[in-house]
Each structure stands twice: as C-alpha cells, then as structure tokens.
Amino acid sequence: MKIAITSVLALALVACSQQKAPAPAEPEAVAAPKTAAEIHDEMLVLDTHLDTPANFSKADFDIMADNPSVLGSVQVDLPKMNRGGLDGGFWVTFTPQGPMDPASYEAAKQAALTRNQEIHDMVAAHPESFELAYTSEDAARIAATGKKVVYMSIENSYPLGTDIGMVEEFYNRGVRMIGPVHFRDNQFADSATDLGANDYGGLSPLGVELIKEANRLGMMVDGSHASDSTVDDIIELSTTPIMLSHTGVKAVYDHPRNIDDDLMRKVADDGGVIQINAYGGYLEQLTPTPERQAALDEMQKEFEGISPATADAETRDRYIAKMEEIDAQFPAPRSTFEKFLEHMNHALEVVGPDHVGMGADWDGGGGVVGMEDVSFLPRVTEALLAEGYSEEDIQKIWSGNMLKLMKQVEDAAAPKPE
Ligand SMILES: [Zn+2]
C-alpha cells in the first residue's frame, strides 16, 4: 500500500511539474511552455494501420458521426480524428487468408477490389473532409487544408492470386503499401503465426516477384505479420527499406507476431521503420475469465469447422452476433495504455526515434484501456515528452519517419511513363 501511494504521489509530482513549471533545461524561459496538447495539435499525425474501411459497408456506420466508442467497435471517425489530432494515415484493404485455389483467389480478389472501391467512395462522398493521398508530399499539403489524409494499403496479398499484374492494378487504384501475408502462410510468404507449416523459409518464388514488382512501382513493402525469415528475405531482396506497419516488440511480450531486438536493429540499420501497434493480444498475455472461456468453447462447438472468413453471409452474421453477445456478457481481457507505452519505449530505446512510429491497428483489434480510440492520441505525445523526447523527435515518430521511407521508395521506383 505504501508503495502504491508513493508512486501515485510521484506521478502527481511529475504531472504538476510538467504542467506548471518550465522544463528544467530552460530555467530562463519566460513564455509559458506549450502544453502537450498544443504540441500534439501542431504535428502532422499519421497512423500506418487503420482498419476502418472494414466498417464502411456497415449500415449503422457513418464516418462523419461520433459513433459510440467501445473497445473493438468504432475507433476512427471524423469527430474522433479531430479530437485526437489524427490527420490520417494508411487505410487498409484487409483480406482474411482463405484456400489457395483459383475460385477462392477470384472471390478474394473481388472482395478486395470492392473494399478498395469503398475507400474511394468514402472520400468521394466527403470531399470537404477527406482526400486521397498518393505521394509522400501529399500528406502535409492535404493536412494543411484541414482535410484528412487517405493513403491506401493492402494487408495480405492473398487476393492477388498468382497474377503479379494485380500489384500494378492495385497501384493504379492508389495503393502505396503492400503486405504479403497475414495469419497464415500463403502463396507469397511464411506468416509469423503459421510456423508449423513453414513452407518456404521466407518468401516463396512468387513472393520474390511481388517484392520486385512493389519496388518497380514504388510501393512500400510491409513486413508486419510476416515471419522473421520473410522479413529477412524482404530486407535482403528489396531495393528499399522495409516498413513494419503495425508490430510489437518481443522483449516486452514474447509472441511470434512481435519482433526481437536483433531483427529490430537489422530493420533500422537498413533504414526501415517499426510502427508500434496497440493490439492487446500482442501487447501481453491476456487470459479470459473462466466464464468467458466456457462461452467461447461452447461457441467453438456450435461453429465447428466454420471460418467466418469463408462462411456464407448468413453464417458469418450469426457468428459475429454470437461473438458480440459473448463480448457483452463476458468482456474480453484488455491491455492498457501503459503496456502499449512499454512496447513503444522499448523500440525507441533499441533503435531510436528515427525508426519508430505508430500503427495501432485501429478498428482491427487495436485500442487499450486508456487509449480506447483515436481521440486519445494526444496522450502518446504527452508520454513521449515526459520520456524526454524532443518535439522534433516526436514529429518524426508521428509521421516523419514513414514519409521519409515513402519518399525513398518513390525515388527508387522505375520512371513512370508519361
Ligand atoms: Zn494486422
């Protein structure tokens, strides 16, 4: 108890000294120091993994409205972006991994094209609030007009099938970042979370073609979800540094989806960036209550052998409804803002502020207690200031590093025909 009270006092003192006194390094300063919120507001703030497009086809979702914010529900909409000072980022076309046969590839391709179109449609419906972004220079220009920045990315290249020409098809539709693989090994690469079936020891021959094509066109290659061997292969093969758009660190939580210090250094030495996610299950071991576990087991029996990714619409809706019922009755265990910061601070300690950023996996499972949606982002700036990072460093973390990488990728691309 004594320890707890002492640490609360210590925190309170730190908070007071930040708010009321000038920083110790500038004892002569006369002007009132800017607050963390003011500093945050002035920055160009981008997140490299917004799964929000998954909400676009839902009847009760409105990007312009302040949707109810519940963990795992709507975390990104215009009012929340405004409150949290989020200028935009990469809006994801995500496709769950399915069977690798021509009919499944075709179905996945159509779903991904539809999702990409929904992003275009959302922006077209609200041209006063959102703008599509294609180059590294677009973000600052768009944000200066008060609009939100909509870059596009692909999470899981599964829907490309075996047709490498589809990389250019998606590039032409505005996609500027591509991740080869998701939870399961696929036609392009080994996944971090499917090591039992490790087929290629990294990229497949088709995966090699995918990276070359991304390099040629000028797309960032996203190694999040890829196995360590795949990340190694990408670093070796790609003419440009690698992006990890939403990843945690193994030193804080030993999960296959997270990256160890050696690989993190390798990514950074190569010029790459590691964007830290806020996905509870990758931040720490979260154990459900026995009641929740029992309900999940019961559900498992009911949906034996059924994957929501490939089920028909009726079954999928029933699955989602059941999941929501369980979540409401026996809430899932949650990670915390403090745990998220442990991951971010560790990455910053290992590779420094030139190689770290944020890709929280909003609307894709991200969000923690204390940072439930994007309106809480000023807390990150506040925490980084408290850690002693300069405004210049924090600006790099919020967007400078990823835009620098994007510029490198553009410059390295083959010249485009007029
Ligand atoms: Zn993901």
Side-chain angles (χ1 to χ4, degrees):
M1 205 54 201
K2 194 179 172 190
I3 291 167
I5 290 166
T6 310
S7 56
V8 167
L9 275 176
L11 278 175
L13 286 170
V14 169
C16 285
S17 69
Q18 273 160 19
Q19 280 161 15
K20 293 184 181 154
E26 304 166 322
E28 306 300 325
V30 180
K34 283 186 280 186
T35 65
E38 285 166 346
I39 290 169
H40 182 82
D41 255 6
E42 289 169 5
M43 292 193 177
L44 177 60
V45 176
L46 302 174
D47 181 292
T48 46
H49 201 81
L50 304 171
D51 267 315
T52 311
N55 286 334
F56 290 172
S57 59
K58 292 179 186 165
D60 56 352
F61 175 77
D62 178 1
I63 190 83
M64 305 300 282
D66 201 355
N67 299 265
S69 167
V70 181
L71 275 175
S73 181
V74 174
Q75 298 173 313
V76 180
D77 53 36
L78 187 63
K80 291 181 188 62
M81 292 178 82
N82 284 334
R83 285 204 299 279
L86 177 62
D87 293 300
F90 275 84
W91 301 64
V92 181
T93 291
F94 162 65
T95 312
Q97 186 60 43
M100 290 183 274
D101 59 65
S104 303
Y105 284 147
E106 182 59 27
K109 179 168 97 178
Q110 292 311 324
L113 289 170
T114 300
R115 181 57 49 78
N116 176 270
Q117 187 58 44
E118 286 167 357
I119 301 173
H120 283 267
D121 292 348
M122 185 283 282
V123 174
H126 308 290
E128 71 297 339
S129 303
F130 294 90
E131 188 172 333
L132 291 171
Y134 302 101
T135 73
S136 56
E137 288 174 359
D138 285 345
R141 177 184 57 76
I142 293 170
T145 67
K147 296 187 201 179
K148 301 303 182 190
V149 179
V150 182
Y151 286 116
M152 287 176 277
S153 63
I154 282 181
E155 179 175 34
N156 197 5
S157 297
Y158 167 60
L160 276 57
T162 54
D163 178 6
I164 287 299
M166 283 305 295
V167 183
E168 186 160 14
E169 174 76 32
F170 277 103
Y171 178 90
N172 290 339
R173 289 166 189 263
V175 173
R176 293 294 180 267
M177 173 158 67
I178 187 162
V181 68
H182 192 242
F183 283 153
R184 309 290 304 277
D185 294 352
N186 67 9
Q187 67 269 40
F188 298 108
D190 290 336
S191 162
T193 45
D194 194 9
L195 296 179
N198 211 327
D199 291 324
Y200 316 111
L203 290 167
S204 74
L206 198 63
V208 168
E209 296 310 308
L210 180 85
I211 306 306
K212 286 181 181 169
E213 186 66 354
N215 283 167
R216 181 182 77 82
L217 291 163
M219 294 163 100
M220 287 190 283
V221 179
D222 181 1
S224 281
H225 286 288
S227 70
D228 288 356
S229 53
T230 299
V231 171
D232 277 335
D233 279 0
I234 295 171
I235 291 172
E236 174 112 344
L237 176 68
S238 177
T239 58
T240 56
I242 191 171
M243 153 71 73
L244 300 181
S245 72
H246 59 304
T247 288
V249 303
K250 228 167 213 156
V252 177
Y253 178 40
D254 187 4
H255 187 287
R257 181 67 178 79
N258 292 339
I259 181 170
D260 68 28
D261 290 1
D262 285 344
L263 189 53
M264 198 155 35
R265 285 190 198 96
K266 191 171 171 184
V267 167
D269 287 348
D270 192 55
V273 295
I274 300 127
Q275 309 280 101
I276 302 300
N277 73 20
Y279 188 107
Y282 303 144
L283 295 179
E284 61 181 306
Q285 176 72 44
L286 296 172
T287 310
T289 60
E291 292 78 13
R292 179 178 169 83
Q293 192 56 57
L296 290 173
D297 292 346
E298 197 58 37
M299 181 178 167
Q300 181 74 28
K301 267 185 240 162
E302 188 183 335
F303 290 90
E304 184 91 63
I306 296 169
S307 157
T310 50
D312 59 80
E314 187 272 329
T315 310
R316 193 173 57 239
D317 288 350
R318 208 155 47 79
Y319 183 100
I320 292 168
K322 184 75 198 171
M323 199 65 232
E324 283 174 352
E325 189 188 316
I326 294 175
D327 283 344
Q329 208 177 354
F330 310 111
R334 300 293 186 194
S335 189
T336 61
F337 181 63
E338 289 68 29
K339 186 55 77 174
F340 161 77
L341 284 181
E342 274 184 53
H343 284 257
M344 178 163 260
N345 284 331
H346 182 79
L348 285 165
E349 274 162 32
V350 174
V351 294
D354 288 340
H355 299 281
V356 178
M358 189 158 166
D361 214 345
W362 296 116
D363 291 321
V368 289
V369 174
M371 187 174 67
E372 283 82 355
D373 59 55
V374 296
S375 69
F376 293 85
L377 291 183
R379 291 199 70 188
V380 179
T381 295
E382 190 181 6
L384 292 170
L385 287 166
E387 284 291 325
Y389 291 101
S390 67
E391 287 182 46
E392 195 187 338
D393 287 339
I394 297 170
Q395 181 57 83
K396 287 183 202 167
I397 293 166
W398 273 127
S399 61
N401 296 334
M402 62 129 295
L403 290 172
K404 184 179 162 201
L405 171 56
M406 191 173 185
K407 176 85 169 75
Q408 275 178 278
V409 170
E410 289 162 1
D411 290 347
K416 301 278 181 307
E418 289 302 315

